[in-house]
Amino acid sequence: MEHNNELLNSLILELRRGSIVLGVLSCLEKPQYGYSLISILEENNLLVDPGTLYPLLRRLEKNGMLISRWDTAESRPRKYYELSVLGKEVFNELKKEWNSLVLSINKLIKEMGD
Amino acid sequence: MQNQNLIDRYVYAVTKRLPESQRDEIEKEIRGLILDMAGKEDPSEDEIADILVKLGEPTALADKYRERKRYLIGPEIFDSFILVLKIVLCSVLTAVSIGLVLKNIMNPEEDLIRVIAEFISTLFSAAISGFATTTIIFGIIEAKGGKGIKKWDPKKLPLVPSENKKGFKTSSTIISIALTGIFFSLLLFGTDFFAVYLQTGSDMKIVPLFNKQALLGNLSLFIILYIALIIRESLKLIEKGWTMKMCIISLLLDITSVVILILIFTNPSLWNQNFTSDLNSLNIFSTNTDIEFIFKLVKSLITIGVLIGPAINIIKAIVYGIKNIVKNQ
């Protein structure tokens, strides 16, 4: 059983890894900083490890999907991220892909897997 | 103060593993994150420690920031590296042992401790140079192979060998590296071993074939030859067949080897120039035995012998190179 749990956990982790990007992009229509993003995702039952999220945000920025700015108005400087024009386009395409994927998988599970 | 130190140390441990250009920003980011996770501006040391555990080990976090993993020798060629390393170290061990045994047969050393000390120190320095050479070769292969995104081209797949043998055999790699290592060390450390032994009365006369000083003078050339061999054999393990790349590199390496070998072995001073006169002075051969001719024959046979290996490889590289070209047209 323990072995099964381990296997299950690693498969769940793999499944989530790809969907995290979608979760993050969905939240960034409005600017957010790293930790506020974690809180939003958590409220929606999506647990993301900060050690994964922060590098991911940087990567998305480097790819041109996010734009960032440092807000120094508050007590402590925070880096706010927001979708760029390219980011919005990519997000729209990804959403379509996700919806069709969910449809296909659900259909398969319903028809064959049950 | 103590709290500040824990954060400072964590941030430092992460950022020192990152490119300098990104350090400042990532530092600000991580500091902000820790305080955000604490939910207050002045967390206690225990609270900070808990947060740092959640963030994970600094090396792991730095790895996540650093996208591409950096290798001296990557996982794809690591197995081949270990194999070649084992072969090289085994041949170094064999070569040093044979060399020392021969040396002590020729010039017996009284003090056993000195012999053992010499064995250990020679083995140590030879093993280190063997290890360094192999690592440098594989480091270069890794650096050259990993550059840019290579477009996969099915046409560059190695040809399936027409005979019943499939690709390169690991055993042939082991045999070439080990035998060449042993032969070179015999030649360099046991030069006196290659000689004519004659019993005249109670005396044993030894007339060596080679000039020891001249052979040792070529030490660096022998090392180059050995390195060329290790490169070729390592590539065979990695490429697993006669790809075009393998053909070209093998051809270059083996032509260089042939040139060096011809330079070494056709140089008259390499051989014992008194061979004929020494043998004649012993007066044990009848006058019509043409010692000069026999000496020439032995010289030619040894020269041809050392050239056979690289010559066969040159022919193979040309044949498979042509086949590659023909197949791709």
Side-chain angles (χ1 to χ4, degrees):
Chain A
M1 193 57 207
E2 196 153 298
H3 175 72
N4 279 350
N5 268 340
E6 215 170 274
L7 182 67
L8 183 64
N9 282 339
S10 83
L11 285 173
I12 289 176
L13 210 68
E14 215 168 293
L15 201 57
R16 281 180 173 220
R17 197 172 291 150
S19 23
I20 285 175
V21 176
L22 260 171
V24 168
L25 293 179
S26 325
C27 303
L28 291 176
E29 298 276 358
K30 276 186 285 176
Q32 300 286 351
Y33 63 95
Y35 196 71
S36 68
L37 201 51
I38 291 180
S39 314
I40 298 174
L41 292 171
E42 218 164 284
E43 281 163 26
N44 290 283
N45 292 322
L46 251 176
L47 291 179
V48 190
D49 165 28
T52 307
L53 181 74
Y54 277 61
L56 173 67
L57 288 172
R58 286 185 74 86
R59 211 150 35 239
L60 292 173
E61 185 191 6
K62 204 175 143 200
N63 295 339
M65 287 167 65
L66 300 182
I67 36 178
S68 74
R69 77 188 151 76
W70 281 92
D71 184 0
T72 46
E74 285 171 72
S75 61
R76 174 154 30 81
R78 278 174 172 150
K79 196 178 185 186
Y80 279 80
Y81 290 96
E82 191 179 358
L83 280 179
S84 68
V85 179
L86 173 74
K88 280 176 190 159
E89 283 169 19
V90 174
F91 178 45
N92 280 331
E93 291 305 309
L94 272 179
K95 269 196 288 196
K96 281 183 209 157
E97 191 60 39
W98 171 262
N99 287 329
S100 83
L101 191 67
V102 169
L103 270 176
S104 316
I105 299 289
N106 279 343
K107 193 162 165 265
L108 272 175
I109 292 174
K110 205 175 256 173
E111 287 174 9
M112 327 273 288
D114 270 350
Chain B
M1 194 62 200
Q2 191 66 22
N3 296 350
Q4 210 52 49
N5 272 340
L6 212 47
I7 297 181
D8 287 343
R9 279 153 60 193
Y10 185 81
V11 167
Y12 173 71
V14 176
T15 53
K16 76 171 177 191
R17 293 183 170 84
L18 296 174
E20 220 158 311
S21 56
Q22 301 175 15
R23 280 185 197 164
D24 283 350
E25 245 210 4
I26 292 178
E27 168 163 4
K28 274 200 277 180
E29 233 173 65
I30 298 175
R31 283 182 186 281
L33 171 65
I34 293 169
L35 294 181
D36 277 335
M37 283 171 85
K40 48 178 147 178
E41 292 303 305
D42 190 20
S44 73
E45 195 187 348
D46 288 341
E47 283 170 320
I48 292 177
D50 280 346
I51 289 167
L52 296 186
V53 169
K54 270 186 215 152
L55 278 179
E57 273 189 59
T59 34
L61 186 58
D63 275 347
K64 285 185 193 161
Y65 269 112
R66 213 192 303 110
E67 291 179 54
R68 206 168 64 88
K69 298 218 175 201
R70 292 186 305 173
Y71 298 107
L72 175 60
I73 291 158
E76 277 167 31
I77 61 170
F78 192 73
D79 288 341
S80 311
F81 169 67
I82 291 296
L83 180 63
V84 173
L85 195 60
K86 277 184 196 160
I87 301 168
V88 169
L89 292 182
C90 283
S91 17
V92 162
L93 177 68
T94 324
V96 172
S97 314
I98 292 175
L100 240 80
V101 167
L102 286 175
K103 198 183 151 201
N104 281 286
I105 291 172
M106 301 299 170
N107 313 296
E109 167 80 53
E110 297 288 310
D111 193 351
L112 185 66
I113 293 179
R114 261 181 73 176
V115 176
I116 293 171
E118 192 188 349
F119 176 72
I120 292 174
S121 70
T122 316
L123 188 64
F124 189 68
S125 62
I128 293 215
S129 13
F131 180 81
T133 310
T134 315
T135 310
I136 290 169
I137 293 171
F138 273 85
I140 292 170
I141 294 174
E142 173 75 39
K144 292 280 170 216
K147 236 170 210 171
I149 307 141
K150 267 194 287 179
K151 207 176 155 231
W152 184 72
D153 183 359
K155 284 183 177 170
K156 285 188 180 155
L157 281 170
L159 300 169
V160 179
S162 43
E163 296 89 336
N164 44 9
K165 47 182 175 177
K166 291 252 177 271
F168 297 118
K169 281 200 182 121
T170 313
S171 57
S172 86
T173 299
I174 296 173
I175 291 169
S176 332
I177 297 184
L179 279 189
T180 312
I182 292 166
F183 175 66
F184 282 178
S185 60
L186 272 177
L187 208 53
L188 292 167
F189 303 114
T191 314
D192 300 338
F193 184 70
F194 296 87
V196 176
Y197 297 81
L198 290 170
Q199 194 81 34
T200 53
S202 61
D203 251 9
M204 171 77 108
K205 284 278 175 197
I206 300 172
V207 181
L209 268 177
F210 293 101
N211 174 350
K212 197 171 183 174
Q213 281 336 32
L215 258 181
L216 285 173
N218 284 318
L219 182 64
S220 48
L221 286 179
F222 280 108
I223 292 173
I224 293 175
L225 284 172
Y226 199 46
I227 291 176
L229 177 94
I230 295 174
I231 297 177
R232 192 230 290 143
E233 295 302 319
S234 310
L235 269 177
K236 277 190 178 177
L237 288 179
I238 294 166
E239 293 283 309
K240 301 198 168 58
W242 286 101
T243 56
M244 202 59 202
K245 189 168 128 200
M246 179 70 213
C247 290
I248 293 168
I249 297 177
S250 178
L251 204 56
L252 290 176
L253 289 173
D254 285 306
I255 289 175
T256 316
S257 304
V258 165
V259 171
I260 294 177
L261 282 169
I262 289 177
L263 280 178
I264 295 176
F265 281 90
T266 58
N267 184 352
S269 69
L270 184 86
W271 307 87
N272 177 7
Q273 274 155 324
N274 304 323
F275 188 80
T276 318
S277 54
D278 279 359
L279 274 187
N280 276 328
S281 69
L282 294 173
N283 285 325
I284 43 167
F285 295 104
S286 60
T287 39
N288 47 12
T289 312
D290 191 347
I291 294 173
E292 187 62 40
F293 173 75
I294 294 171
F295 186 39
K296 271 187 184 159
L297 192 69
V298 170
K299 286 202 273 189
S300 318
L301 283 177
I302 291 179
T303 310
I304 292 169
V306 295
L307 287 174
I308 278 180
I312 289 175
N313 262 294
I314 289 178
I315 295 168
K316 277 190 186 166
I318 293 174
V319 169
Y320 281 105
I322 293 170
K323 278 191 187 173
N324 271 317
I325 294 168
V326 172
K327 279 267 170 74
N328 290 347
Q329 270 172 356

